[in-house]
Amino acid sequence: MKIRLAGGVVASDMGAWTAGPSGAPVRVADGSGAQPGAAVALGPAGASGEDVRHAVGELSALVEAGGVVAAGAGADLGAGFRSARLEGARGDQRDAVLAALRALGLEHADRLGDRTRLLVALFGPSVTRRVGAAAAKAAGEGRWAALHLASAASDVLGPEQLERVLDLDGPDTAVPGSPSVLAGYLRRVLADVPRPRRLDLLLDLWARVLGQQERLGRRDRRLATQGRRDRLDDLRESRVRYEDEVVAGWLRGELGHEPSLADAARWTPPDAYWRDQLVRTFQDAIAATALLRTAVAVADHGFEEGLARSAALLGAVIERCPAWAGGRGRSGGLPARPTVPVGEIHRRLSAGKPVDARLFGFVKPRLTRAKEFGVLVVETVEAVMDRMIGHHDDLLRDWGGHGLRGWRAASGYSAVRPLAGWGGIPPWTGPLLGDREPLREREELVGDLLWYVDLIDALAQLHGHDAARSVDGTGAPWFDHDPPPPEEPEPLTPRLDSVTLAVSGAAQLIALGGVPPKGARTWTGFTAGLAAGTAIREALTGAFKVPPALAALDGMAVPGAKVRVKAARSARDLAEWSDYMGNCIAGHWYVEDAREGRVALLGLYDQDGVLVVNAEVSPRRPLSRGWRVTEIAARFNEAPDPELERRFRAWVGAIPGTRPPEEPVPDEVPPVRTPRRRAAPRLVEEVGPALGDLARAAWDRTGAGTLEVFAALAATPPDAALTRLRRLGSAQLTAAVRRALGTGAVPLVRLWDATGARPLATALDGLDPALRERFDRLPLLLGEPPLPKTLRRLVTLPAIAGPYALDLVARRVRAAVGRLAVQDDPAVARAVAHRTTEPPLCALAVLVTCDAPDVPLATVVPPREVAVPGYPATTLEDEDGPWRRALPDAAELGADTALFWDEIAEHGLRVPSSWLGAGGWTALWSRAHSHR
């Protein structure tokens, strides 16, 4: 029997077995239904059962270690069996050999055949002994990224150049994907570059990628020293209790007895109280700075060396905080002041005990709260300055005039904040210092507040930055310790996240008409030259003809797959996809077919908004037969998740076909007229005025209360709130929402109403339908950035900028509420149980039901039933009822609403048990309607 294998090989008179679900051998020829590209053990057709079981066991071990791709290397499995892959496998032989070599190790490379065969598979027929020796050394030292890159570059580099590549060292993440995919990109990119210059470009790219990965890795490494659970609110509570005790102590000291409420109301704090508060604020700031710098040192240099580097700084803090144990009163196990963990660490280090696991176990939990202590102290400084500036300026000047020579002798100055360049914080340092000469001309004083910015710089360094960024004019704290990354670059700017992404981005530029520049020896210069040609801009013009049947599905969820579909509308969309995915979907052949409407190109996004799969969908013939998936691939052209692919193909196959309209035959042939060139539509000029008027009117109807809610979230004045919230990452925004709900600063009902205000969406609904139809990309304004260039110009118009920002922030805040809800966060649980209304309660319940989070859940409606208990009575199936109306809101919260009825059938309607108090769901439902 003939067995068709990968690479067009046909094996005759042999048997092939694969591992079944239980691991037992299943013969492919016996109708096992093996998937295309499946790993098989290929051997004698009449082999004994024992030999087959042994071979399949070896095959399974190889696949487990190296992936299914390793089976294509033809590894010896014993008893005359070799590994292979069935027809339909992706990639080429170099992928299989490299994967199998990594799985087996250099010591077992003989199982893959003779050395010459391996080297030819990896580097081509012109491989030399010196290249082979360099490859063996790289494999022996575990430098697989270098071997990966050299194998991919063997088509464009000579043997001597490959030796240089094989000497490189870096993490595997520098070269993700398959060597064969990268090889194809390299051939396209470097084909017209002189051979001597190719190596220079690759080496420069390698250095830039490692630098980018080091910057990203540094952030992750440092933040890993901090606790996973955010306990900032607990720290705030502990701090409030401590300050209350301090005030009560002052009262008792002055009165000589336990104060009454009237005593407290009549008491005026003396200057000594305010001076004590200023001193404690400075102490807390330097203690938090020491904690943060110790956490950074431990992350960068290891536990032992990091503590050794920080010991002197910790000791200097304790010298200036003789009563460091003050603030030991704890809330939820947390001290009120950072001087406490600093003192405890210093005392243990000073005891002279060995640096071992016990010391590590003592110090680690005291470092995990460094970030939260830093944020708390920054907030404390703001509060103290706000209370004192304009009320106690004489006291501030006296305190601010003290020198810091002793402290600086022990702590030194940060290299990222030069002393000569520090100009203070005018709204604060003015009242503190008066009209003093610049700091570079005198001794540093407390009132210069450089110690305060040292604290924010230390917070920034924990987040992987070199220093905090000044944001003058936005209000306290004047510096941002975790500024968001710059806006995403143009989609045609190749990324430096990895070599594969960078080269695929350059290959895309060439596919769109870019011409390699002459003389470029750096990677950035090379890609800048590629992008500079007019051919690139011309290639991105013109919209795609998305078939109406598929355009109508844009934004819909694929049932059961937890992904949403987005249709590419132009080559720019494809450029953005290819930029992230590292594939060739933006090639001219895809662009031309999409422009003519011969295919539709789709992106599948997961619940976090991450692109996971690209697909090409084509019509069947005749058109009435519907649609089929002609190509589908995950990142770096890898195979997508099998279950996702199966559900997506089934979904596409169910899309109804179309019948072409019958055109009447004219009695007479009309005279041929010279076609007139239609003017290109100008979106900003034609849509801007009308949409601006509608948006401004909708904005005016929104009301000041909405901006006040967002101001409370951002902790800024209302006019700066939207800008601040837009700059927050998802984790930061979620924390802000948790804080606002947890403290009661913003009730859930007000937050829901505020995020329901969508002035730009209202304006788009009111826009002339003819304009909406002509400019069919306008709905993208209601999605996440980045936007196409013309839409970016549109939202910068003054009348549209504010409504666009409000819509965007509202959607993001709702998504943050959804994240908290599925985590069963106490802030949401308290907010729902305390006071809610029907719309948010229904939407949140639908979200939890669809997501089925791993938290304690209570069943409200049993499986396969639709009547919801409580008054007023409702049913899940009522088309006009609150539960159907809640589906779009639940989708904004993050629900895959396509799963709703499946979950209802299997588990029923469920909510977190923490939402239900006395009276259960019926009481909660009743309260939700009593607040309407």
Side-chain angles (χ1 to χ4, degrees):
M1 185 173 183
K2 294 181 178 180
I3 300 172
R4 297 187 178 276
L5 304 176
V9 177
V10 178
S12 301
D13 301 325
M14 301 188 75
W17 289 263
T18 186
S22 64
V26 177
R27 190 158 186 163
V28 173
D30 292 339
S32 66
Q35 294 292 325
V40 295
L42 194 68
S48 68
E50 182 61 31
D51 288 344
V52 171
R53 282 191 294 274
H54 179 270
V56 170
E58 291 292 315
L59 174 69
S60 299
L62 176 65
V63 170
E64 183 178 359
V68 69
V69 65
D76 184 1
L77 304 177
F81 283 83
R82 284 197 170 274
S83 66
R85 296 185 70 187
L86 296 179
E87 184 180 38
R90 297 172 183 256
D92 62 17
Q93 193 65 11
R94 82 182 89 194
D95 302 336
V97 169
L98 185 60
L101 188 60
R102 292 192 65 168
L104 298 174
L106 199 59
E107 63 274 16
H108 299 297
D110 58 314
R111 290 179 57 185
L112 303 177
D114 62 82
R115 184 171 183 271
T116 301
R117 174 182 174 274
L118 288 183
L119 293 177
V120 169
L122 289 173
F123 304 109
S126 59
V127 64
T128 65
R129 291 184 178 181
R130 290 169 58 92
V131 170
K137 182 181 179 183
E141 295 174 356
R143 292 184 287 107
W144 298 107
L147 196 57
H148 185 140
L149 179 57
S151 178
S154 60
D155 297 345
V156 295
L157 298 183
E160 295 81 5
Q161 294 173 315
L162 287 178
E163 292 177 43
R164 294 276 304 280
V165 176
L166 287 165
D167 282 338
L168 299 174
D169 191 11
D172 292 348
T173 53
V175 196
S178 303
S180 61
V181 172
L182 178 56
Y185 295 147
L186 285 170
R187 288 194 299 270
R188 195 178 309 162
V189 170
L190 300 179
D192 296 329
V193 176
R195 187 173 288 269
R197 200 178 305 143
R198 296 174 182 177
L199 179 62
D200 293 338
L201 291 174
L202 274 182
L203 294 181
D204 182 70
L205 171 59
W206 178 267
R208 293 177 186 274
V209 167
L210 292 193
Q212 171 81 341
Q213 292 200 342
E214 166 56 26
R215 286 189 290 273
L216 297 176
R218 177 177 61 188
R219 175 187 176 92
D220 294 340
R221 187 173 63 249
R222 292 178 177 179
L223 286 176
T225 64
Q226 302 303 291
R228 294 183 180 181
R229 179 186 170 194
D230 185 352
R231 301 197 63 185
L232 182 57
D233 287 341
D234 293 335
L235 275 178
R236 290 192 181 105
E237 183 180 346
S238 181
R239 183 71 182 210
V240 168
R241 291 182 179 178
Y242 170 73
E243 292 295 340
D244 289 348
E245 292 173 1
V246 170
V247 172
W250 276 89
L251 266 170
R252 284 191 292 267
E254 289 200 355
L255 298 176
H257 59 79
E258 193 67 29
S260 66
L261 181 61
D263 292 332
R266 288 190 292 266
W267 184 64
T268 300
D271 286 352
Y273 166 80
W274 295 111
R275 187 175 293 106
D276 173 66
Q277 191 168 56
L278 290 169
V279 170
R280 286 188 288 107
T281 299
F282 172 76
Q283 292 175 345
D284 288 344
I286 62 175
T289 303
L291 271 184
L292 288 162
R293 290 182 178 175
T294 302
V296 168
V298 167
D300 289 353
H301 304 287
F303 181 70
E304 184 172 355
E305 183 179 347
L307 287 181
R309 288 170 174 258
S310 306
L313 179 62
L314 296 169
V317 171
I318 296 306
E319 286 182 12
R320 284 151 185 83
C321 305
W324 61 264
R328 188 181 289 276
R330 297 170 182 256
S331 174
L334 296 177
R337 300 182 62 191
T339 54
V340 175
V342 169
E344 291 172 342
I345 295 173
H346 174 69
R347 183 172 60 187
R348 182 60 69 94
L349 292 178
S350 302
K353 295 184 178 180
V355 180
D356 54 14
R358 293 185 63 185
L359 180 63
F360 178 70
F362 179 84
V363 172
K364 182 181 178 181
R366 286 159 176 80
L367 291 181
T368 57
R369 305 269 79 89
K371 178 179 70 173
E372 290 149 0
F373 268 122
V375 173
L376 177 66
V377 175
V378 169
E379 294 174 353
T380 302
V381 173
E382 295 174 29
V384 169
M385 290 298 166
D386 185 56
R387 285 195 294 266
M388 298 195 68
I389 289 178
H391 305 284
H392 304 280
D393 287 352
D394 292 341
L395 184 59
L396 280 171
R397 277 192 290 272
D398 178 64
W399 172 71
H402 288 80
L404 288 177
R405 182 176 301 171
W407 165 246
R408 288 303 183 185
S411 68
Y413 287 96
S414 170
V416 300
R417 190 71 60 183
L419 185 67
W422 176 243
I425 303 174
W428 287 356
T429 51
L432 283 164
L433 297 176
D435 298 324
R436 293 181 184 266
E437 62 272 21
L439 179 55
R440 62 178 177 272
E441 300 176 8
R442 58 173 170 78
E443 175 190 355
E444 182 192 359
L445 304 176
V446 173
D448 286 305
L449 296 180
L450 188 52
W451 50 271
Y452 167 69
V453 184
D454 282 345
L455 167 60
I456 306 180
D457 281 339
L459 265 173
Q461 288 156 5
L462 185 73
H463 286 79
H465 307 288
D466 292 330
R469 187 176 70 183
S470 172
V471 283
D472 294 339
T474 62
W478 314 106
F479 288 82
D480 192 343
H481 69 269
D482 189 22
E487 289 188 8
E488 286 289 323
E490 286 291 321
L492 292 180
T493 303
R495 300 159 64 109
L496 292 174
D497 297 33
S498 68
V499 171
T500 309
L501 274 178
V503 177
S504 69
Q508 175 169 295
L509 290 173
I510 290 176
L512 293 174
V515 178
K518 295 181 179 180
R521 293 188 178 276
T522 65
W523 181 256
T524 52
F526 177 74
T527 54
L530 282 178
T534 57
I536 302 296
R537 293 189 292 273
E538 292 174 356
L540 296 181
T541 58
F544 291 168
K545 296 179 181 178
V546 183
L550 298 176
L553 303 176
D554 200 1
M556 291 187 64
V558 178
K562 295 188 177 182
V563 294
R564 291 186 179 275
V565 173
K566 178 181 178 181
R569 302 284 181 166
S570 71
R572 184 169 292 274
D573 288 336
L574 299 187
E576 294 173 1
W577 291 353
S578 180
D579 176 52
Y580 171 74
M581 296 290 281
N583 59 26
C584 55
I585 195 170
H588 64 87
W589 48 90
Y590 290 107
V591 172
E592 291 173 3
D593 285 348
R595 279 187 182 145
E596 297 300 322
R598 292 190 287 267
V599 301
L601 301 171
L602 307 179
L604 306 186
Y605 289 79
D606 67 12
Q607 293 175 308
D608 296 324
V610 176
L611 180 62
V612 293
V613 167
N614 287 138
E616 178 189 72
V617 175
S618 304
R620 299 180 184 274
R621 300 300 180 203
L623 297 177
S624 59
R625 293 181 57 201
W627 306 85
R628 63 192 179 99
V629 178
T630 48
E631 192 170 350
I632 184 170
R635 207 173 186 200
F636 305 118
N637 278 338
E638 298 290 341
D641 175 74
E643 181 63 16
L644 185 153
E645 180 177 357
R646 183 186 69 79
R647 288 182 178 270
F648 178 67
R649 286 184 181 275
W651 184 69
V652 170
I655 300 173
T658 57
R659 293 184 178 275
E662 296 183 1
E663 298 183 2
V665 180
D667 296 332
E668 298 182 2
V669 178
V672 178
R673 296 182 180 179
T674 303
R676 298 179 61 184
R677 187 171 184 178
R678 188 176 180 181
R682 300 185 302 162
L683 186 147
V684 175
E685 292 78 2
E686 297 184 36
V687 175
L691 185 62
D693 291 343
L694 291 168
R696 187 183 297 108
W699 173 273
D700 292 341
R701 291 194 298 271
T702 299
T706 298
L707 288 181
E708 289 175 359
V709 170
F710 290 125
L713 278 182
T716 65
D719 57 352
L722 296 180
T723 300
R724 175 63 177 169
L725 293 174
R726 281 186 64 181
R727 295 171 57 206
L728 295 180
S730 61
Q732 294 171 305
L733 183 59
T734 303
V737 173
R738 178 191 293 112
R739 199 160 45 242
L741 292 176
T743 60
V746 181
L748 178 61
V749 174
R750 286 197 66 199
L751 185 64
W752 189 263
D753 291 342
T755 55
R758 306 292 172 83
L760 185 59
T762 302
L764 284 173
D765 287 341
L767 195 63
D768 185 351
L771 279 178
R772 293 203 306 269
E773 183 177 354
R774 187 177 182 198
F775 298 98
D776 60 354
R777 304 193 77 181
L778 286 172
L780 295 178
L781 292 171
L782 305 182
E784 280 293 305
L787 297 174
K789 186 175 182 180
T790 52
L791 292 181
R792 290 203 299 273
R793 288 179 53 210
L794 183 68
V795 299
T796 60
L797 298 178
I800 300 176
Y804 171 73
L806 181 56
D807 279 35
L808 180 62
V809 168
R811 291 193 301 273
R812 289 179 174 176
V813 169
R814 284 208 172 175
V817 172
R819 287 191 290 272
L820 293 172
V822 297
Q823 294 167 10
D824 198 14
D825 191 277
V828 171
R830 286 193 297 269
V832 171
H834 174 65
R835 182 173 184 268
T836 188
T837 55
E838 180 186 274
L841 180 57
C842 291
L844 287 167
V846 171
L847 166 69
V848 172
T849 298
C850 293
D851 194 85
D854 187 18
V855 301
L857 298 177
T859 300
V860 175
V861 177
R864 294 180 295 279
E865 294 188 15
V866 296
V868 183
Y871 180 83
T874 59
T875 67
L876 300 178
E877 62 183 359
D878 183 359
E879 293 288 346
D880 298 322
W883 297 100
R884 290 296 185 92
R885 292 196 302 267
L887 291 177
D889 291 335
E892 282 195 343
L893 292 169
D896 183 356
T897 53
L899 301 175
F900 180 63
W901 290 111
D902 291 341
E903 290 294 328
I904 291 296
E906 185 172 357
H907 301 293
L909 183 71
R910 299 187 292 176
V911 298
S913 302
S914 60
W915 295 6
L916 307 180
W921 168 260
T922 54
L924 177 60
W925 184 249
S926 177
R927 287 197 301 273
H929 289 80
S930 67
H931 292 303
R932 284 186 299 178

